[in-house]
């Protein structure tokens, strides 16, 4: 399990993230919400070792993240960045196949996993095409398939960190993508994702962390977090919170 | 599966092409030898019992002139192409060139120092004299690259973007220093400098070949071991780290490999452009960007292309010789333009 | 046509060579890598033996019909071997060293002569060439004649200086389209100017670009101009056009811009030097009666 305790991150002497205690629990989808500049991506970067915390520590299975050998860590922890800068004409399945680089599972098994991961990200039809010929949303799904393949099939002890995985997707694919992530968690993996859409967060996350000004404001179930007062306090936005007529989770409507 | 079949076919084709290029490089030259003599001399050189009768000239031309030259072309072509792949991987840009980290301009500066100042230094022991130019070029290339790398380091991390800019700045600085040496040079020194800047495989000898051969072998064996890491690096530095690769070490190794390889190649044969840029690009067009194919295929193609270019260089104006840099640029520059315009369409 | 004539001459040379006394030891197929050395070989009657020359061997014009082995510092071993030479003639500048080693290993005799623009070097060179050509007497005669002409030249200059002061001279070397470079004090051009009776004005070494302003400040009495592409009046017209600053100098006002052939300046003292010196000094001292050059050609 990926945990952090008393996490502080500074950039040039400014505290950009402070006092975060968090467990990314197996089988659970944890959503991180917050306005621009609240420290969401900073949190994710600190959790995957990209940023060195000024104080506190990050552990993976009770071992400091920095002490994990690269390949072993990569078998347990996968990260999807917000944007990719890949500028080479790999075929789609080659990009997804890179998720298998930390493993030595053999060419045949890797090909099966790539296929399954592409299917899960609703990108199976893109196989064989050049990555550079894809649209932004298609590329995003291919990278999602890549990180899914890295941890495939998803089991207890594995953690997936996703930075705005739906930012470039159409409404249908926002749902299919998050559904795939949910199913991944159902198989035992722990998932942390950054989201902007409050209603998507309400529907697909088990717990939510609301960040504001680099500090955790509320941590709890969607029902606990998605209330008018904390949302007003953090986002400065007046909202109505209702119940989804069919599914029962909170439904947030701007006033 | 079909992709891997195609890759294997490409490697086989390039292997055959290289063997052909080696044979042509051994068999053709301004001195026309009977084909049978060439063949017999070649067989004798590999140790087969062939009668030596009437082979003196063929053995001399083949053994002392064409073979060292062919080996030099082989090593320089392969190393330049491999370094091109390494730099394009490091900078994650298919248009990157080994010169970006300053190794070529550093080597050129070293050569200028050796050619211009070396004459007036006088303090070099006679035994060392023939190696002065190569040594200075090698040290210059390595030195400037080390400086570029050092400038790119900050807080234990190497910023590729800073390295790129530092490379541009130091290249300009080296250019100014070369200009200063050019100004101080007399007419004949100036011509030597000009010729060096255009590269040549002329005058290859075994004594000066072996350091380059060792470097070429080391680079050709080492770089393919990093093929998977290079693939991951193309995704981005963070992504490669998340896939379990030690990116800082990889970057250091890539820069070191390029500096060593290009430094040794330039020291032995002068500046030869476009192989490092065009060959990886060409291979990528056919086989895709996967480094597991790209690296060996580029080495084979680079060696073949340079040997064929050298054939043009030594035959076009025989008995005089064309600098090989002119030939490679004449092939490379139009091809590069073609790629550019094709990409735009 | 010239090529055929050359081939014919070569054939005759090959056919008749074994008939000469003691010719077995003498090299019969020569490659010359040095402009003035090639000229001397021709002047000493060895043209038939030349089978290849380098890119600086431009005089006499018939040499241009021979295969070119390229620039003297960038010789190609196999290209030269293809000419099947017995001898490679050149100056210390000839190279690269590895190529020379390869040629030597292939049995080519390598003869390195001095390219220094000075009489002692020339004496040694002509002596050696005479031996190699098998006609030392002719070489000795040619040398004596040459020295006598230089001697007469020196005397003439001394005479001329009695009545007129030595002109202050700026020597410019033209490069097509670029601003010209001034010849420094250690160059062959400076030697040339001094022996023609002029006083070289520059203080630097080698050939360096010179600014329009310093050109005007030097204010030379005479400008000597050597251009690689243009000759005679065309070269002078081009110089005045590309360098307007010259117009303010005494040289331009007095119409004293003289042209010389730049090939005279490379590779040491060549056979054309005495005549060129005489021509130049006539320009330096227009009032003095020109030096009569001996009719007898070496």
């Amino acid at each position: 399990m990926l945990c952090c305790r008393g996490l502080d991150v500074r950039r040039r002497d400014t505290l950009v993230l402070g006092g975060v205690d968090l467990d990314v629990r197996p089988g659970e989808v944890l959503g991180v919400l917050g306005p621009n500049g609240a420290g969401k991506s900073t949190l994710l970067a600190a959790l995957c070792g990209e940023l060195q915390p000024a104080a506190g520590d990050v552990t993976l299975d009770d071992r400091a993240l920095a002490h994990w050998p690269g390949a072993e860590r990569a078998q347990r922890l996968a990260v999807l960045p917000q944007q990719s800068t890949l500028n080479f004409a790999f075929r789609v399945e080659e990009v997804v196949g890179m998720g298998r680089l930390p493993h030595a599972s053999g060419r045949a098994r890797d090909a099966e996993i790539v296929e399954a991961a592409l299917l899960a990200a609703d990108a199976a039809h893109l196989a064989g095409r050049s990555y550079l010929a894809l649209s932004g949303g298609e590329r995003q799904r291919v990278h999602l398939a890549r990180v899914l393949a890295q941890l495939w099939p998803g089991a207890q002890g594995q953690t997936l960190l996703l930075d705005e995985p739906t930012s470039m997707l159409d409404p249908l694919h926002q749902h299919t993508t998050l559904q795939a992530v949910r199913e991944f968690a159902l198989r035992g993996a722990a998932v942390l994702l950054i989201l902007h859409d409050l209603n998507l967060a309400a529907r697909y996350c088990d717990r939510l962390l609301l960040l504001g000004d680099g500090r955790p404001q509320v941590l709890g179930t969607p029902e606990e977090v998605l209330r008018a007062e904390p949302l007003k306090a953090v986002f400065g936005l007046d909202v109505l919170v209702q119940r989804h007529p069919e599914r029962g989770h909170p439904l947030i409507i701007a006033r | 599966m079909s992709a891997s079949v195609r890759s294997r076919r490409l490697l086989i084709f390039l292997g055959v092409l290289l063997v052909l290029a080696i044979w042509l490089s051994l068999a053709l030259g301004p001195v026309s030898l009977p084909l049978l003599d060439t063949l017999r001399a070649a067989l004798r050189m590999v140790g087969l019992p062939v009668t030596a009768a009437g082979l003196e000239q063929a053995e001399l031309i083949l053994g002392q002139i064409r073979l060292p030259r062919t080996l030099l072309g082989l090593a320089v072509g392969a190393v330049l192409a491999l370094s091109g792949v390494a730099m394009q991987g490091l900078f994650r840009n298919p248009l990157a060139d080994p010169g970006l980290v300053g190794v070529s301009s550093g080597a050129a500066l070293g050569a200028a120092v050796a050619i211009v100042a070396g004459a007036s230094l006088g303090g070099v022991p006679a035994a060392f004299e023939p190696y002065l130019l190569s040594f200075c070029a090698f040290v210059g290339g390595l030195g400037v690259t080390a400086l570029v790398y050092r400038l790119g380091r900050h807080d234990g991390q190497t910023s590729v973007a800073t390295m790129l800019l530092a490379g541009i700045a130091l290249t300009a600085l080296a250019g100014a220093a070369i200009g200063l040496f050019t100004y101080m040079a007399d007419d004949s020194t100036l011509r030597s400098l000009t010729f060096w800047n255009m590269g040549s495989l002329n005058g290859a000898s075994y004594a000066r070949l072996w350091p380059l051969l060792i470097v070429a072998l080391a680079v050709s064996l080492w770089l393919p071991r990093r093929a998977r890491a290079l693939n991951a690096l193309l995704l981005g530095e963070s992504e490669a780290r998340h896939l379990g690769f030690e990116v800082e070490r990889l970057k250091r190794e890539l820069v070191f490999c390029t500096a060593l390889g290009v430094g040794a190649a330039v020291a032995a044969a002068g500046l030869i452009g476009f192989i490092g840029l065009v060959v990886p690009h060409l291979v990528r067009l056919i086989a895709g960007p996967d480094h597991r194919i790209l690296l060996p295929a580029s080495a084979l193609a680079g060696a073949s292309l340079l040997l064929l270019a050298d054939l043009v260089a030594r035959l076009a104006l025989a008995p005089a010789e064309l600098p090989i840099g002119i030939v490679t640029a004449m092939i490379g520059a139009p091809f590069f333009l073609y790629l550019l315009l094709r990409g735009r369409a | 046509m010239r090529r055929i004539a050359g081939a014919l001459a070569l054939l005759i040379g090959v056919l008749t060579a074994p008939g000469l006394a003691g010719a077995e030891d003498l090299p019969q197929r020569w490659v010359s890598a040095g402009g003035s050395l090639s000229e001397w070989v021709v002047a000493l009657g060895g043209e038939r033996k030349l089978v290849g020359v380098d890119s600086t061997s431009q005089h006499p014009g018939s040499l241009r019909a021979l295969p070119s082995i390229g620039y003297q510092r960038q010789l190609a071993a196999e290209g030269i071997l293809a000419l099947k030479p017995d001898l490679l003639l050149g100056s210390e500048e000839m190279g690269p060293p590895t190529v020379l080693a390869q040629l030597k290993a292939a049995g080519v005799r390598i003869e390195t002569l001095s390219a220094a623009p000075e009489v002692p070097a020339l004496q040694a060179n002509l002596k050696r060439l005479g031996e190699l050509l098998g006609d030392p007497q002719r070489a000795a005669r040619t040398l004596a004649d040459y020295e006598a002409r230089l001697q007469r030249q020196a005397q003439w200059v001394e005479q001329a200086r009695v009545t007129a002061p030595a002109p202050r001279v700026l020597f410019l070397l033209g490069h097509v389209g670029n601003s010209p470079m001034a010849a420094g004090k250690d160059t062959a051009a400076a030697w040339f100017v001094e022996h023609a009776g002029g006083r070289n004005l520059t203080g630097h070494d080698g050939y360096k670009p010179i600014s329009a302003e310093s050109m005007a400040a030097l204010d030379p009495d005479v400008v000597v101009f050597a251009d690689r592409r243009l000759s005679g009046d065309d070269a002078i017209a081009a110089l005045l056009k590309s360098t307007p600053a010259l117009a303010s100098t005494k040289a331009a006002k007095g119409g004293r811009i003289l042209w010389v052939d730049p090939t005279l300046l490379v590779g040491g003292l060549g056979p054309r030097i005495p005549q060129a010196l005489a021509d130049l000094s006539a320009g330096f001292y227009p009032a003095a009666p020109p030096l009569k050059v001996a009719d007898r050609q070496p």
Side-chain angles (χ1 to χ4, degrees):
Chain A
M1 188 164 66
L2 184 67
C3 308
C4 69
R5 290 285 172 271
L7 190 67
D8 284 358
V9 180
R10 288 175 186 278
R11 279 188 211 267
R12 293 179 186 274
D13 301 332
T14 316
L15 192 69
V16 289
L17 189 70
V20 184
D21 298 308
L22 201 61
D23 295 341
V24 190
R25 298 176 191 153
E28 187 182 85
V29 177
L30 171 64
V32 179
L33 298 173
N36 297 335
K40 303 185 295 293
S41 293
T42 305
L43 172 63
L44 192 128
L47 284 177
C48 68
E50 275 292 298
L51 280 180
Q52 285 303 314
D57 41 32
V58 181
T59 55
L60 182 63
D61 291 346
D62 300 323
R63 187 169 163 189
L65 194 63
H67 292 169
W68 280 89
E72 279 182 50
R73 194 191 62 195
Q75 288 166 11
R76 285 166 178 78
L77 178 67
V79 185
L80 179 70
Q82 205 168 353
Q83 275 177 340
S84 167
T85 52
L86 180 59
N87 194 22
F88 286 80
F90 281 107
R91 277 171 298 116
V92 163
E93 60 272 28
E94 287 178 316
V95 177
V96 178
M98 287 198 214
R100 301 304 299 166
L101 286 174
H103 304 269
S105 40
R107 184 186 286 225
R109 176 73 186 130
D110 284 353
E112 282 171 28
I113 290 173
V114 166
E115 207 182 322
L118 274 170
L119 203 63
D122 195 17
H125 61 289
L126 300 177
R129 287 177 60 185
S130 160
Y131 174 83
L132 294 183
L134 303 182
S135 75
E138 287 169 332
R139 291 180 184 191
Q140 201 169 26
R141 273 144 60 201
V142 168
H143 282 294
L144 178 74
R146 173 172 67 78
V147 292
L148 291 181
Q150 188 178 341
L151 302 181
W152 198 266
Q156 198 144 356
Q158 292 188 312
T159 307
L160 186 59
L161 306 179
L162 309 170
D163 195 349
E164 297 193 42
T166 58
S167 60
M168 300 173 93
L169 302 182
D170 58 56
L172 172 66
H173 281 109
Q174 293 181 359
H175 284 277
T176 53
T177 295
L178 291 176
Q179 189 58 45
V181 170
R182 264 229 73 83
E183 279 161 22
F184 209 68
L186 278 178
R187 291 197 286 267
V191 180
L192 177 146
L193 49 77
I194 295 174
L195 281 176
H196 269 302
D197 188 312
L198 301 177
N199 286 313
L200 287 176
R203 173 156 174 186
Y204 291 101
C205 296
D206 299 305
R207 283 198 304 157
L208 291 175
L209 170 67
L210 190 58
L211 278 179
D213 283 333
R215 311 243 163 218
Q217 305 294 330
V218 196
L219 174 65
T221 61
E223 285 76 13
E224 291 164 353
V225 175
L226 297 175
R227 288 176 296 118
E229 306 82 60
L231 291 179
K232 169 73 182 163
V234 171
F235 288 100
L237 183 70
D238 284 318
V239 296
L240 284 174
V241 180
Q242 305 205 317
R243 295 227 148 254
H244 191 286
E246 287 175 359
R247 297 180 171 269
H249 61 70
L251 195 61
I252 293 90
I253 306 154
R255 299 184 84 138
Chain B
M1 270 298 117
S2 78
S4 78
V5 169
R6 216 172 57 179
S7 313
R8 200 171 310 141
R9 279 204 192 129
L10 178 73
L11 285 178
I12 292 171
F13 168 77
L14 288 173
V16 172
L17 181 71
L18 181 61
V19 171
L20 188 74
I22 291 175
W23 172 248
L24 287 176
S25 175
L26 288 176
L28 296 181
V31 176
S32 49
L33 294 171
L35 196 62
L36 198 65
D37 284 6
T38 313
L39 200 61
R40 280 167 62 211
L43 291 178
R44 253 179 77 79
M45 279 193 302
V46 294
L48 288 173
V50 181
T51 50
L55 274 185
E56 295 82 9
Q57 200 204 8
E59 275 195 299
L60 181 92
I61 301 260
L62 224 59
Q64 294 306 311
I65 296 176
R66 289 187 192 164
L67 183 63
R69 188 170 184 143
T70 303
L71 289 174
L72 178 65
L74 206 68
V76 169
V79 157
L80 288 180
L82 283 173
S83 303
V85 176
M87 283 301 102
Q88 292 173 5
L90 176 70
F91 288 103
R92 296 192 289 123
N93 187 327
L95 298 184
D97 173 276
L100 273 185
V101 288
V103 58
S104 310
S105 50
L109 178 59
V113 171
I115 292 175
V116 180
S120 54
L121 264 177
V124 191
F128 188 66
E129 184 93 50
Y131 305 98
L132 179 68
L133 175 58
S134 294
F135 179 78
C136 287
F138 185 69
V139 168
L142 229 54
V144 171
T145 309
L147 197 58
V148 167
Y149 179 74
R150 184 70 199 79
L151 289 170
R153 301 267 309 165
H154 183 68
D155 287 348
Q157 303 245 323
T158 317
S159 161
V160 166
T162 312
M163 268 179 65
L164 182 73
L165 294 173
I168 291 172
L170 286 183
T171 296
L173 208 60
I178 292 168
L180 200 65
F181 279 106
T182 310
Y183 179 80
M184 296 188 316
D186 60 34
D187 251 23
S188 53
T189 333
L190 209 57
R191 289 217 54 180
S192 297
L193 207 59
T194 313
F195 273 100
W196 187 86
N197 280 326
M198 295 189 288
S200 175
L201 301 184
N202 186 21
S205 71
Y206 294 113
R208 299 210 296 184
L209 199 55
W210 65 263
L212 173 67
L213 285 182
I214 290 173
V215 168
L217 199 68
V219 170
S220 315
L221 289 177
W222 184 86
L223 267 184
R225 292 167 58 91
R226 293 291 178 268
R228 286 151 46 95
L230 271 164
N231 280 349
L233 189 61
L234 293 188
L235 286 172
E237 288 187 21
S238 314
E239 284 86 339
R241 254 191 296 274
H242 298 322
L243 286 169
F245 294 100
E246 287 183 52
V247 174
E248 285 308 316
R249 200 181 76 185
L250 177 66
K251 286 192 283 190
R252 198 164 55 235
E253 287 174 341
L254 288 176
V255 171
F256 181 69
C257 227
T258 301
L260 201 65
V262 176
V266 167
L271 290 181
I272 298 177
F274 277 103
I275 295 278
L277 175 64
V278 165
V279 168
H281 215 112
L282 182 73
V283 174
R284 221 181 265 117
L285 276 183
I286 301 167
D290 187 340
H291 285 87
R292 285 171 295 184
I293 305 300
L294 182 60
L295 284 164
S298 294
L300 291 174
S304 307
L305 192 68
L306 198 67
L307 286 182
L308 294 176
D310 183 49
L311 218 50
V312 175
R314 61 173 122 145
L315 288 177
L317 293 180
E321 220 172 88
L322 211 57
I324 194 169
I326 294 178
V327 183
T328 55
M330 258 169 9
I331 301 170
F335 179 72
F336 191 72
L337 279 178
Y338 160 75
L339 290 178
L340 209 68
L341 297 177
R342 188 173 164 279
R344 204 167 55 184
Chain C
M1 206 45 215
R2 232 196 260 163
R3 217 170 261 272
I4 295 170
L8 211 62
L10 207 94
L11 193 68
I12 293 165
V14 170
L15 289 177
T16 54
L20 294 168
E24 312 79 71
D25 300 344
L26 296 176
Q28 293 305 322
R29 294 177 64 84
W30 291 40
V31 168
S32 170
S36 76
L37 290 174
S38 304
E39 265 184 88
W40 278 119
V41 172
V42 174
L44 297 178
E47 185 169 4
R48 288 186 314 188
K49 295 186 176 177
L50 289 173
V51 295
V53 291
D54 77 326
S55 56
T56 62
S57 299
Q58 300 282 326
H59 284 275
S62 58
L63 291 183
R64 285 179 225 168
L66 290 173
S68 166
I69 55 165
Y71 181 53
Q72 56 173 352
R73 282 171 172 247
Q74 288 291 327
L75 301 177
E78 210 187 319
I80 292 175
L81 284 182
L83 301 171
K84 301 191 178 65
D86 306 319
L87 176 86
L88 173 63
L89 182 69
S91 71
E92 319 83 4
E93 294 189 355
M94 187 166 59
T98 47
V99 167
L100 298 183
Q102 285 169 341
L103 288 170
K104 203 176 273 178
V108 179
R109 186 158 155 192
I110 293 172
E111 201 66 44
T112 309
L113 302 180
S114 170
E118 53 192 33
V119 175
L122 182 70
Q123 289 166 340
N125 288 357
L126 286 188
K127 187 164 178 288
R128 189 78 192 115
L129 285 177
E131 287 162 15
L132 290 168
L133 286 165
D135 195 351
Q137 291 86 3
R138 181 169 179 178
R141 269 201 316 276
T142 307
L143 179 63
D145 184 53
Y146 192 90
E147 284 179 316
R149 289 171 72 184
L150 287 183
Q151 187 65 38
R152 280 203 297 282
Q153 168 73 24
Q155 284 162 0
W156 185 89
V157 167
E158 212 169 295
Q159 281 287 307
R161 274 188 179 162
V162 173
T163 49
R168 300 161 62 253
V169 179
L170 177 65
F171 194 114
L172 296 176
L173 187 65
H175 284 282
V176 185
N178 280 333
S179 63
M181 297 202 285
K185 58 185 184 328
D186 63 338
T187 57
W191 181 95
F192 200 61
V193 166
E194 303 288 346
H195 283 75
R199 221 181 85 219
N200 186 47
L201 284 181
T202 53
H204 61 257
D205 290 336
Y207 294 90
K208 293 282 143 68
I210 182 168
S211 73
E213 231 180 280
S214 26
M215 225 183 271
L218 285 173
D219 197 15
D221 301 322
V222 178
V223 167
V224 181
F225 183 54
D227 189 283
R228 299 224 161 106
R229 199 186 53 167
L230 299 168
S231 58
D233 293 340
D234 291 345
I236 292 164
L239 175 70
L240 281 171
K241 205 173 149 198
S242 72
T243 325
L246 264 185
S248 68
T249 61
K250 285 201 205 79
K253 284 179 193 151
R256 299 181 72 191
I257 299 180
L258 308 171
W259 177 82
V260 297
D261 184 344
T263 60
L264 289 167
L265 304 173
V266 283
L269 301 181
R272 289 175 295 143
I273 290 277
Q275 179 64 58
L277 280 177
D279 291 347
L280 195 61
S281 49
F284 284 175
Y285 300 96
L291 172 67
K292 285 276 180 280
V293 177
D295 290 330
R296 191 160 54 97
Q297 285 296 311

